[in-house]
Amino acid sequence: SRYSGRTVIIVALVLGSMTMPALKMFMDPAAWFIIKFISSCAFTVVFVVAEIWINQLAPERIRGRILGIYGAALAGGMGIGSGLAVWTGIDGWLPFLICGGINMLGLVPFFIYPSAQKIQSPPKDEARFGAILKIFWLAPAIIACGIVFGAIEQTLIYFLPVYDTRLGHSEHAARVLLMIAVVGTLLFQIPMGMLADRVNRDRLMLALMGVAFIGPILMAMVGANFVALAVLAFFYMGLTTALYTVGLVSLGERFKGHKLSAANAAFIMAYGIGSLVVPPIAGKMMDIWDPAGFMVAMAGLGFFGFCVVAAQGRRFFK
């Protein structure tokens, strides 16, 4: 509410990019805690402001398609980032400099399009923390999409390879499985965004939550069958991570003007809650019930999301 969105994004991008070489300069765990905290703060600002900007500018009739393209870019970037160390290695300055350089590329569009339409800054009342928390009460189904997406994305990136090796497969096979799942994330965003423009978005949200519930149960049932597990992981990751795209589309449809800023901030806060809380629970469950407890935890997450969306949309069943 105090500064232009353009200025905020540029400052956050520069600060976040600088934390990458800083990790190499201060090779100490205590320093890394501080640097990673600063990095996460900076890039979360980029997330929030960029999504507000996109949702403000996207025409309603093609909002899903535009946010699907954004979701595909997001998934593609995460996929490239996950595999970057395979090419650069983990020694020396190269991986840190390349990582920082890639993030600095985010500045390029600001120089190519200096006259791009400005972000509508919210008034102070709509930028308060209370206004953000209010969204949790007003749109629980959309918030559930953020929580479930954040939990699935982070938990599977961390633990899907671990789960696969505990089934008896090699580490190489586990990396291949994760790559297949990430490809699913990349390929499903645009089609699901386009679908969100054509069908009832609440019903689509409910169907995706159903996949989040049933998918882990099916993956647990196929056991160590790698081909079946890979196919299911591809569709599970691809469809459930589309909750982020569909959630953003629904957010832009429901909240207009200045309220959109608080809504986007709340949505990303929900993503953060899911990515923070669920991975340690899923990891502990895998230790208690090795390895099926992991899929039990993920199915429980999907059941939670399904119940929240169904409770808000009881009219579906009338």
Side-chain angles (χ1 to χ4, degrees), residues 91-144:
D91 300 314
W93 279 92
L94 184 63
F96 298 94
L97 292 176
I98 287 180
C99 233
I102 288 174
N103 285 302
M104 287 292 284
L105 287 176
L107 295 170
V108 172
F110 291 96
F111 297 104
I112 296 178
Y113 303 105
S115 59
Q117 187 171 329
K118 295 181 179 180
I119 305 171
Q120 299 173 26
S121 297
K124 289 183 180 180
D125 288 344
E126 293 297 335
R128 295 181 189 277
F129 191 62
I132 295 171
L133 289 181
K134 189 177 179 182
I135 303 299
F136 280 71
W137 174 256
L138 293 175
I142 297 174
I143 292 300

Side-chain angles (χ1 to χ4, degrees), residues 124-298:
K124 289 183 180 180
D125 288 344
E126 293 297 335
R128 295 181 189 277
F129 191 62
I132 295 171
L133 289 181
K134 189 177 179 182
I135 303 299
F136 280 71
W137 174 256
L138 293 175
I142 297 174
I143 292 300
C145 286
I147 292 173
V148 173
F149 166 77
I152 289 175
E153 182 201 54
Q154 295 296 319
T155 306
L156 261 70
I157 286 175
Y158 293 144
F159 289 116
L160 186 61
V162 179
Y163 174 79
D164 195 45
T165 56
R166 291 194 179 185
L167 289 173
H169 298 138
S170 68
E171 290 185 9
H172 175 72
R175 288 193 292 269
V176 171
L177 179 64
L178 179 60
M179 183 185 70
I180 291 171
V182 170
V183 170
T185 303
L186 175 62
L187 295 181
F188 274 92
Q189 301 305 312
I190 295 176
M192 296 307 294
M194 294 174 68
L195 189 61
D197 286 332
R198 296 175 178 270
V199 303
N200 182 290
R201 291 162 183 173
D202 292 333
R203 291 181 183 273
L204 179 59
M205 208 182 295
L206 188 68
L208 294 177
M209 285 296 187
V211 174
F213 172 42
I214 297 171
I217 297 173
L218 295 177
M219 285 190 279
M221 290 174 63
V222 301
N225 185 324
F226 183 82
V227 174
L229 183 61
V231 171
L232 288 170
F234 173 82
F235 284 101
Y236 170 71
M237 191 83 165
L239 289 169
T240 57
T241 53
L243 282 166
Y244 195 73
T245 298
V246 176
L248 278 176
V249 173
S250 300
L251 205 69
E253 177 187 35
R254 178 161 182 185
F255 298 98
K256 304 296 183 182
H258 300 312
K259 291 188 181 297
L260 188 57
S261 300
N264 267 108
F267 192 66
I268 292 181
M269 186 183 295
Y271 165 87
I273 291 170
S275 62
L276 176 68
V277 173
V278 175
I281 295 174
K284 186 64 176 177
M285 284 291 291
M286 186 157 46
D287 284 340
I288 294 172
W289 185 4
D290 189 13
F294 173 66
M295 290 302 176
V296 171
M298 299 312 293

Side-chain angles (χ1 to χ4, degrees), residues 5-18 42 45-46 107:
R6 178 191 179 92
T7 301
V8 171
I9 288 186
I10 290 174
V11 171
L13 272 173
V14 171
L15 179 61
S17 300
M18 288 170 61
V45 169
V46 175
L107 295 170

